[in-house]
Amino acid sequence: MRADRLVSLVLLLRRGGRLTADTLARELEVSTRTVLRDIEALSAAGVPVYAERGRHGGFALLPGFQTELTGLNHDEALALLTAGSGRGEQVFGLGSALASAMRKVVDALPDSHRASASDAARRFLVDPETDLLSRRLVTEEVSGATMIEVRRAVLAGHKLRIHYAATGQTPQWRTVDPIGLVTVRDTGYLLATRSGADRTYRLSRVLAAEELPETAQRPNRVDLDRIWRERSAQFLSGGDHITVLVRVNPARREELLDTALAVRAEEPDADGRLRLELTFQDSRHAEWALWQLGTDAEALTPQSLRTSLRDRAAAMATRYGDSVSLVPGGRGCGVRGAETIQPLALE
């Protein structure tokens, strides 16, 4: 909306001092011509904005101009700025709206708190793009136009028509009754019903969407947390999923959990290891996940998984014969006579 953009324009000028039209256009994600029209509208409304020409020129507000926005204390502003530093907002296409909201938060602070809150927020990092092992965390892409239509239908309570590409199937159009949106590890999902049956759609597989004028068939009140738990339980109990009991070195716990679908139980074992009950996609998935950890993980059940891992290890030993030996205390195999490379120690 233009009113929101005008407020954001004023806040940018208050924080940034003198800014060029090109800089303002990039920040507001509009054209330079739109910025110039907005500047004229602000001037006509009595906002003291003026232009300076020349190499270092731009637009600025007269010193001392104040906006009438609700104030926040230091900790409240810090909490909002820190929460806004994460990446999850990109899943629902709210990145630009969040940036605008953060400008308003900073502007609402007293002058004495503004600089300290902004500096403090820079010292907190939420969900960086890579972890300590340099594994990149990828946010699945959803087109802006598609996300807007989905979001509008969810909030308005209207039926939604989506062009959905289910795994291994030709994309098809289907009409659903949207219930809500959920994001898990930067992956977005649309919870909906279709002809009265529960459906969960991955947003990255929605190729196009259209909000319909008809009212969606859904309850007035919704508990998304409860619905998500129920659908997760249904998902884990279906298909070829397999439940595995594993003993694992605590140092490799996170690596193992990253490959599992779910953790059903966890408790310490007598020798300092962890005993985990995990769900995997199928037997091949479980075998692959545990093989990555070498001797740092041991499958206790089912017996079929233990047998397949044993046979795989035997085949590997046969392939390499006497040319290799296990490195004592290591995570895999090393060539005899070669220098053992120790992994980086993380504290």
Side-chain angles (χ1 to χ4, degrees), residues 105-134:
V105 168
V106 173
D107 190 83
L109 287 173
D111 292 340
S112 59
H113 289 169
R114 188 175 299 131
S116 61
S118 297
D119 179 70
R122 295 188 190 101
R123 299 182 185 278
F124 297 157
L125 179 60
V126 180
D127 289 336
E129 292 188 359
T130 61
D131 62 14
L132 282 175
L133 299 179
S134 296

Side-chain angles (χ1 to χ4, degrees), residues 165-238:
T167 304
Q169 299 181 21
T170 302
Q172 295 181 351
W173 284 97
R174 56 198 75 185
T175 299
V176 302
D177 295 300
I179 295 174
L181 295 168
V182 175
T183 177
V184 181
R185 295 185 179 181
D186 288 344
T187 299
Y189 299 91
L190 167 67
L191 305 187
T193 61
R194 184 183 177 202
S195 301
D198 292 343
R199 293 290 185 270
T200 302
Y201 300 101
R202 197 160 178 160
L203 289 177
S204 60
R205 295 175 183 163
V206 179
L207 307 181
E210 177 187 2
E211 178 191 4
L212 302 178
E214 295 87 356
T215 301
Q217 300 300 312
R218 66 181 192 179
N220 293 328
R221 293 181 178 273
V222 63
D223 184 347
L224 278 186
D225 187 57
R226 176 186 58 79
I227 295 174
W228 180 255
R229 288 198 306 269
E230 292 174 351
R231 296 198 179 185
S232 296
Q234 292 173 1
F235 172 76
L236 294 174
S237 63

